[in-house]
Amino acid sequence: MLETSRLILRQWQEKDLQPFAELNADPEVMKYFPKALNRQESDNVVARFMAMIIANQGWGFWAVEMKTTGEFVGSVGLAHQPDRFDFSPCTEIGWRINKKFWGKGIAKEAAEASLAYAFNVLHLPEVVSFTSIHNTPSAKLMQRLGMQKQTTFLHPALIADHALAEHVLYKISHENFIDSPL
């Protein structure tokens, strides 16, 4: 479990399934993903996240909740990508936040906690993040986190002419990460 001034990043619980499914079904939240997810697909994502956190490495994409209210915010965390991309092996950071919390610094706060974990606990040399070239809000967050644009690439899970296939890759090294007071 990770804590910030406003957030708790923790293992997934049964109570997270419904709000996560609602988030994954929201066309605005899923605008830069190939499709919105139905309940079963969303639950399968949580099952993979839980397996990653518990069974595999002890960390991954955490459920995020507001510290004061316990309200589910979304998911933020890390994923090891051993061989999926041309730039693999790597560890990526990503986020999926309920639009109710957009523009409040929640994603940045949770991402900073995840980066601190990546660098100070896991001692990773660098972390990457990527998104569709059309997803300027996420790219701007990557920049606010201190990540530097590296290149563009075609996402291997999408056909080359898919509207979201072209992605931008950002990276931050341990040396360039500045711990912010959480």
Side-chain angles (χ1 to χ4, degrees):
M1 184 173 78
L2 306 177
E3 287 191 44
T4 71
S5 61
R6 299 183 291 172
L7 306 171
I8 296 173
L9 286 71
R10 58 163 174 74
Q11 178 54 278
W12 291 82
Q13 300 171 5
E14 184 72 28
K15 69 179 184 175
D16 303 324
L17 294 177
Q18 181 61 36
F20 192 60
E22 291 169 6
L23 179 152
N24 286 322
D26 185 323
E28 196 172 355
V29 171
M30 300 301 286
K31 181 177 180 177
Y32 301 109
F33 289 88
K35 67 177 191 129
L37 304 180
N38 65 35
R39 175 64 189 258
Q40 186 59 56
E41 291 166 330
S42 180
D43 288 355
N44 291 344
V45 169
V46 172
R48 282 195 311 274
F49 289 169
M50 290 177 72
M52 201 180 343
I53 294 172
I54 294 174
N56 193 9
Q57 62 223 12
W59 52 272
F61 282 101
W62 292 284
V64 180
E65 70 178 37
M66 295 301 296
K67 195 183 265 187
T68 55
T69 65
E71 187 175 4
F72 180 83
V73 171
S75 178
V76 177
L78 306 164
H80 181 61
Q81 299 288 352
D83 56 11
R84 187 172 189 191
F85 302 102
D86 290 343
F87 47 87
S88 292
C90 61
T91 299
E92 75 165 296
I93 184 170
W95 44 83
R96 196 173 307 175
I97 302 293
N98 183 312
K99 66 184 174 192
K100 171 182 177 179
F101 297 100
W102 291 359
K104 300 178 188 308
I106 298 290
K108 183 174 186 282
E109 187 173 321
E112 286 172 339
S114 297
L115 286 172
Y117 185 88
F119 294 131
N120 300 332
V121 176
L122 300 177
H123 305 289
L124 297 176
E126 64 185 28
V127 174
V128 302
S129 192
F130 46 86
T131 189
S132 163
I133 60 166
H134 306 293
N135 189 351
T136 54
S138 277
K140 286 179 181 178
L141 176 54
M142 293 170 197
Q143 294 164 12
R144 286 194 310 276
L145 290 167
M147 302 184 95
Q148 301 296 312
K149 183 178 177 182
Q150 302 298 301
T151 190
T152 58
F153 67 98
L154 295 177
H155 197 289
L158 300 171
I159 58 172
D161 63 350
H162 191 285
L164 299 175
E166 190 173 6
H167 274 52
V168 61
L169 173 69
Y170 280 80
K171 178 172 71 173
I172 187 168
S173 66
H174 190 177
E175 296 80 34
N176 292 329
F177 177 67
I178 300 170
D179 270 319
S180 67
L182 302 171

